[in-house]
Amino acid sequence: ESSEIIQALEQGRAQLGLVSSFSQTEYLQTQDFVHDPLVLICPATHQFTRQHPLNLPAVFSESMIGLSTHHSLQRSIDIQARALGIHIDYRLRLPNFTAIAEVVAAGAGVAIMPARAASRLKESHALALLPLSGAWANRNYSLWHATLASSRRCIVTLPIFY
């Protein structure tokens, strides 16, 4: 979770962290790291493949497949949806992107995931990857580090879920 990483950096328990672009702080230095927007995945033959741009209310009225509720990306997606006035009613929640790709390819619903993960999974599943518009889907990650004033040195392991 980005907020936990920021707190560890601010408290001197970590020197470096990978944090999403939705986070802010005035005490840490940042460096752009990677652009990984969110995309909609759906079966390759789904009606959404013929709709450009996507109609978000229509997307969220579909059977949605999501990550487990404790996953930081899922919490971020849900927060961003609520900010847009959208409630996502999930048909199914799964522990990882591979499981999500399998059920989406089988026609169980649609899902939102990072473009990098979706691109990798498209190689082995019959999926379409559709861009989502809006700042909420435009994810950037930055390396954040404590200022030189921090005297503690420690290492934090940051999981990246693809």
Side-chain angles (χ1 to χ4, degrees), residues 72-122:
S72 63
L73 174 60
Q74 190 61 60
R75 287 193 305 244
S76 178
I77 290 170
D78 293 343
I79 289 168
Q80 297 301 321
R82 279 194 303 273
L84 295 171
I86 297 169
H87 170 74
I88 304 174
D89 187 22
Y90 290 96
R91 178 178 189 185
L92 186 60
R93 290 186 181 264
L94 296 166
N96 57 57
F97 295 136
T98 302
I100 289 173
E102 289 173 4
V103 299
V104 168
V110 301
I112 295 171
M113 71 170 57
R116 289 174 183 260
S119 294
R120 180 180 53 82
L121 291 163
K122 185 179 179 185

Side-chain angles (χ1 to χ4, degrees), residues 6-132:
I6 291 170
Q7 186 177 38
L9 290 165
E10 289 177 334
Q11 294 173 352
R13 294 183 286 120
Q15 290 289 314
L16 186 66
L18 187 62
V19 178
S20 78
S21 58
F22 296 117
S23 305
Q24 295 180 352
T25 185
E26 60 187 78
Y27 302 108
L28 300 172
Q29 299 171 351
T30 66
Q31 180 178 345
D32 290 342
F33 183 69
V34 68
H35 177 70
D36 194 13
L38 296 174
V39 296
L40 181 78
I41 65 166
C42 60
T45 59
H46 195 280
Q47 65 180 351
F48 286 154
T49 62
R50 297 178 296 281
Q51 294 179 12
H52 299 283
L54 285 175
N55 176 330
L56 278 182
V59 166
F60 291 116
S61 70
E62 286 284 311
S63 294
M64 294 295 297
I65 311 298
L67 289 164
S68 302
T69 57
H70 69 276
H71 195 288
S72 63
L73 174 60
Q74 190 61 60
R75 287 193 305 244
S76 178
I77 290 170
D78 293 343
I79 289 168
Q80 297 301 321
R82 279 194 303 273
L84 295 171
I86 297 169
H87 170 74
I88 304 174
D89 187 22
Y90 290 96
R91 178 178 189 185
L92 186 60
R93 290 186 181 264
L94 296 166
N96 57 57
F97 295 136
T98 302
I100 289 173
E102 289 173 4
V103 299
V104 168
V110 301
I112 295 171
M113 71 170 57
R116 289 174 183 260
S119 294
R120 180 180 53 82
L121 291 163
K122 185 179 179 185
E123 295 173 7
S124 57
H125 297 83
L127 297 172
L129 282 58
L130 306 174
L132 295 168

Side-chain angles (χ1 to χ4, degrees), residues 131-144:
L132 295 168
S133 61
W136 72 277
N138 190 24
R139 292 180 341 136
N140 291 298
Y141 280 95
S142 299
L143 287 174
W144 291 38

